């Protein structure tokens, strides 16, 4: 094609006011016309970045503020004493974290299937899907309740000291109501996100977070309810979040077509729907449990209270960073899947490059903050000078992990958007559990490095996983991925009704 045919597009790119209005079709055509002059790249990056941040902004807010509910609770328990913080941390990581991985893994199918129903205009089916998910989540919550209630003996069996396990059990039992709230909230939030209802979710999450800060202050400092009071306050805040999410679904005009009321149809086909969650659940659980397993292992060191306090404080900041990146990862997944489905391999590849570049810049900034404010960050949790010193010594490793977290979740989001969940699950198993975890144990217990050795094991595992995902992404034939997406869409289109099992 001659360059004259691209003149209208070039004129559009010259006008900053028109850049947001350009379609993916126009950008795909422009990227196909190689080589692309250097002067166009900043404007193309601006076009893609705008789409990414429109998608990810509210999702990041929801992810961060939901996580910050637990974060604030641990901050308040830290001021009750080092033992209380160690107990709450071990329960939060070892017990609550187990449920967190399972629930989020199960909920990953909700957004996929609800999004599919929304795209197929089977709006009434979305409410049924949400109800199926809630039923399955509540069933899982019932089973997990026994683990919460008997968490003390379980923690002792894992090698934790009796005093830490006792405090952990008190905290875990106070979180049992939160477990059931989480079982209902996860599917509801995915149900709303599948309809692109993200801004209301963000407002609700921020509002509940502010209320939770006030309630936690009253429970711990004013009423002096101690560790159990802090846990019950967290449970109460999650139930408030469930209430406002539920009222929005029931009363908002935005959901009038997707939520048509409770139905007995939700109890049909539960087993096929449950099987849909397995690949994504395994992938997500392997990632979440890896970090949490390292915290549990740190409780086996010679000075478990200091070790647990220091690594849990660092892990909380790492998790905070992870929540931010997971929002960006979700946007990457949507962008890649949308462009592959639309038949735009070059735009899909360009989106991968832009989102990774953006996340790396953000991670460099976050890593610098961790290094600059290493003492101040630990003082938010504790006034124990020994713990503060231990956290300060770990911050260089935390900074490395924060930087890696700027790449790894984004690549995982790309993998999800491309349908590689099964492959990534195997990668996670090999790099985290076959390589990273044993190395961490050897360095932590055999070399005298202690907590730092365990953390080095984590870094090595994440580094290998990231390198593997980079290789997979770099070797991807995006044109072939477009064809695979087209085949899946064609298969779905041949069905007279939305087949929730066959369509995935």
């Amino acid at each position: 094609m001659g360059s004259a045919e691209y003149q209208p597009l070039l004129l559009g790119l010259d006008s900053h006011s028109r850049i947001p209005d350009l379609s993916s079709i126009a950008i795909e055509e422009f990227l196909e016309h190689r080589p692309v002059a250097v002067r166009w790249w900043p404007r193309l990056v601006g076009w893609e970045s705008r789409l990414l941040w429109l998608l990810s902004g509210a999702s990041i807010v929801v992810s961060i503020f939901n996580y910050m509910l637990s974060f604030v609770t641990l901050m308040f328990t830290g001021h009750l004493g080092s033992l209380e913080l160690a107990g709450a941390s071990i329960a939060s990581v070892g017990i609550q974290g187990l449920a967190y991985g399972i629930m989020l893994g199960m909920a990953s199918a909700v957004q996929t299937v609800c999004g599919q129903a929304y795209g197929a205009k089977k709006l009434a089916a979305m409410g049924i899907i949400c109800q199926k998910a809630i039923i399955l989540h509540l069933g899982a919550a019932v089973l997990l309740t026994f683990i919460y209630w008997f968490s003390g003996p379980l923690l002792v069996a894992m090698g934790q000291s009796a005093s830490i396990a006792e405090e952990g059990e008190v905290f875990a039992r106070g979180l049992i109501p939160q477990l059931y709230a989480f079982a209902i909230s996860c599917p509801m939030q995915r149900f709303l996100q599948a309809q692109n209802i993200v801004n209301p979710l963000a407002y609700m999450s921020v509002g509940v977070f502010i209320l939770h800060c006030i309630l936690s202050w009253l429970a711990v400092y004013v009423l002096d309810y101690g560790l159990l009071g802090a846990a019950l306050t967290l449970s109460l805040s999650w139930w408030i979040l469930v209430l406002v999410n539920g009222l929005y679904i029931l009363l908002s005009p935005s959901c009038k077509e997707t939520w048509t009321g409770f139905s007995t149809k939700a109890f049909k086909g539960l087993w096929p729907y449950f099987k849909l969650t397995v690949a994504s659940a395994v992938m997500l659980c392997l990632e979440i449990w890896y970090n949490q397993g390292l915290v549990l292992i740190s409780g086996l060191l010679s000075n478990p209270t200091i070790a647990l306090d220091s690594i849990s404080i660092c892990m909380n900041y790492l998790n905070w960073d992870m929540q931010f990146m997971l929002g960006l990862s979700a946007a990457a997944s949507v962008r890649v899947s949308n462009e592959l489905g639309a038949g735009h391999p070059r735009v899909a590849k360009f989106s991968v490059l832009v989102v990774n570049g953006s996340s790396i810049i953000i991670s460099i900034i976050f890593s610098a903050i961790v290094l600059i404010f290493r003492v101040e960050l630990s003082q938010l949790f504790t006034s124990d000078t020994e713990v503060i010193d231990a956290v300060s010594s770990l911050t260089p490793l935390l900074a490395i992990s924060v930087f890696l977290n700027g790449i790894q979740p984004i690549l995982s989001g790309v993998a999800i958007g491309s349908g590689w969940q099964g492959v990534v699950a195997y990668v996670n198993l090999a790099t985290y559990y076959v390589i990273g975890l044993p190395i961490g144990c050897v360095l932590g217990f055999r070399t005298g490095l202690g907590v730092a050795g365990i953390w080095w094991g984590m870094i090595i595992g994440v580094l290998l996983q990231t390198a593997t995902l980079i290789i997979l992404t770099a070797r991807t034939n995006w044109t072939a991925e477009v064809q695979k997406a087209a085949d899946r869409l064609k298969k779905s289109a041949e069905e007279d009704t939305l087949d929730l099992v066959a369509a995935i």
Side-chain angles (χ1 to χ4, degrees):
M1 294 183 180
S3 59
E5 295 179 49
Y6 290 87
Q7 192 63 23
L9 177 57
L10 297 181
L11 290 173
L13 284 172
D14 273 328
S15 171
H16 287 278
S17 62
R18 287 191 57 194
I19 288 175
D21 300 326
L22 291 175
S23 67
S24 293
I25 297 173
I27 299 298
E28 177 73 18
E29 183 184 3
F30 186 62
L31 290 173
E32 189 177 2
H33 183 63
R34 298 179 179 179
V36 177
V38 174
R39 68 182 184 277
W40 300 121
W41 287 114
R43 300 176 191 185
L44 290 169
V45 169
W47 176 84
E48 178 62 36
S49 296
R50 176 180 177 273
L51 293 177
L52 282 170
W53 287 105
L54 283 174
L55 281 168
S56 62
S59 297
I60 289 172
V61 171
V62 172
S63 182
I64 287 177
F65 279 90
N66 284 354
Y67 169 72
M68 288 288 281
L69 294 176
S70 295
F71 185 85
V72 165
T73 299
L74 285 179
M75 284 175 57
F76 277 101
T77 58
H79 291 281
L80 291 172
S82 296
L83 185 61
E84 286 84 353
L85 176 59
S89 298
I90 205 69
S92 179
V93 171
I95 307 300
Q96 186 188 25
L98 173 71
Y100 185 80
I102 291 173
M103 294 290 185
L104 283 183
M106 293 175 66
S108 64
V110 181
Q111 195 164 9
T112 304
V113 184
C114 276
Q116 189 177 72
Y118 191 70
K121 305 301 180 185
K122 301 287 185 179
L123 301 183
M126 295 182 67
I128 305 299
I129 295 164
C130 182
Q131 291 173 55
K132 284 180 185 290
I134 290 174
I135 291 168
L136 291 174
H137 276 69
L138 287 174
V142 171
L143 297 177
L144 289 167
T145 299
F146 293 98
I147 295 176
Y148 273 60
W149 189 259
F150 297 105
S151 56
L154 287 173
L155 292 173
V156 171
M158 292 178 190
Q160 306 302 321
S161 67
S163 57
I164 291 176
E166 184 179 355
E167 296 292 338
E169 185 177 73
V170 170
F171 191 76
R173 288 182 175 181
L175 292 180
I176 290 176
Q178 185 255 4
L179 173 63
Y180 289 87
F182 199 58
I184 300 172
S185 177
C186 270
M188 288 198 303
Q189 289 192 359
R190 299 307 185 278
F191 168 76
L192 291 171
Q193 287 171 342
Q195 306 171 64
N196 297 316
I197 301 174
V198 287
N199 287 335
L201 272 177
Y203 297 139
M204 287 184 275
S205 295
V206 172
V208 170
F209 169 74
I210 294 171
L211 180 61
H212 177 66
C213 292
I214 298 171
L215 292 175
S216 296
W217 176 76
L218 287 172
V220 174
Y221 284 105
V222 178
L223 300 176
D224 196 24
Y225 284 163
L227 193 59
L228 180 61
L232 289 173
T233 302
L234 179 59
S235 294
L236 174 61
S237 296
W238 268 98
W239 272 105
I240 294 172
L241 189 62
V242 167
L243 179 63
V244 293
N245 287 169
L247 287 175
Y248 184 89
I249 291 172
L250 293 174
L251 303 177
S252 173
S254 302
C255 299
K256 65 180 180 180
E257 293 184 87
T258 55
W259 181 267
T260 55
F262 296 97
S263 172
T264 55
K265 292 180 181 179
F267 292 92
K268 298 178 181 178
L270 283 176
W271 177 246
Y273 177 78
F274 174 74
K275 290 192 291 185
L276 291 176
T277 68
V278 173
S280 293
V282 169
M283 173 183 164
L284 192 59
C285 286
L286 287 176
E287 291 188 11
I288 292 173
W289 293 344
Y290 179 58
N291 290 348
Q292 292 161 347
L294 294 173
V295 177
L296 290 172
I297 291 169
S298 68
L300 305 177
L301 294 169
S302 57
N303 191 346
T305 302
I306 300 300
L308 274 175
D309 286 352
S310 59
I311 199 170
S312 62
I313 288 172
C314 289
M315 199 63 73
N316 269 289
Y317 284 110
L318 184 62
N319 288 338
W320 183 86
D321 170 69
M322 179 67 81
Q323 300 308 313
F324 185 97
M325 290 303 171
L326 284 176
L328 199 55
S329 172
S333 177
V334 171
R335 287 290 299 129
V336 170
S337 59
N338 284 351
E339 297 301 344
L340 290 177
H344 302 148
R346 292 171 185 83
V347 178
K349 183 177 180 180
F350 182 62
S351 178
V352 171
L353 295 173
V354 171
V355 70
N356 275 289
S358 301
S359 64
I360 289 171
I361 293 171
I362 293 167
S363 291
I364 290 173
I365 296 171
F366 285 173
S367 297
I369 292 172
V370 165
L371 291 172
I372 294 169
F373 299 103
R374 60 171 66 186
V375 175
E376 289 80 2
L377 292 176
S378 57
Q379 286 176 336
L380 289 174
F381 282 91
T382 182
S383 54
D384 190 317
T385 54
E386 196 173 355
V387 175
I388 292 173
D389 291 340
V391 171
S392 296
S393 66
L394 286 176
T395 47
L397 300 180
L398 175 60
I400 296 173
S401 297
V402 166
F403 177 76
L404 290 175
N405 270 351
I407 307 172
Q408 181 269 334
I410 308 304
L411 292 173
S412 293
V414 172
I416 291 170
S418 304
W420 306 336
Q421 291 98 321
V423 175
V424 177
Y426 284 115
V427 171
N428 289 350
L429 181 64
T431 57
Y432 288 165
Y433 295 91
V434 177
I435 301 173
L437 196 60
I439 289 175
C441 290
V442 171
L443 293 177
F445 293 96
R446 298 296 183 186
T447 66
L449 289 174
V451 174
I454 293 173
W455 199 296
W456 270 116
M458 180 184 73
I459 289 175
I460 291 169
V462 174
L463 185 62
L464 289 173
Q465 192 243 24
T466 302
T468 306
L469 291 180
I470 288 174
I471 293 170
L472 284 174
T473 305
R475 292 172 59 88
T476 298
N477 184 331
W478 293 102
T479 303
E481 292 297 325
V482 165
Q483 185 58 49
K484 291 177 185 177
D487 291 342
R488 285 192 292 268
L489 287 171
K490 182 179 179 181
K491 182 179 178 181
S492 298
E494 289 172 353
E495 301 293 334
D496 293 331
T497 58
L498 181 66
D499 189 335
L500 297 180
V501 178
I504 293 295

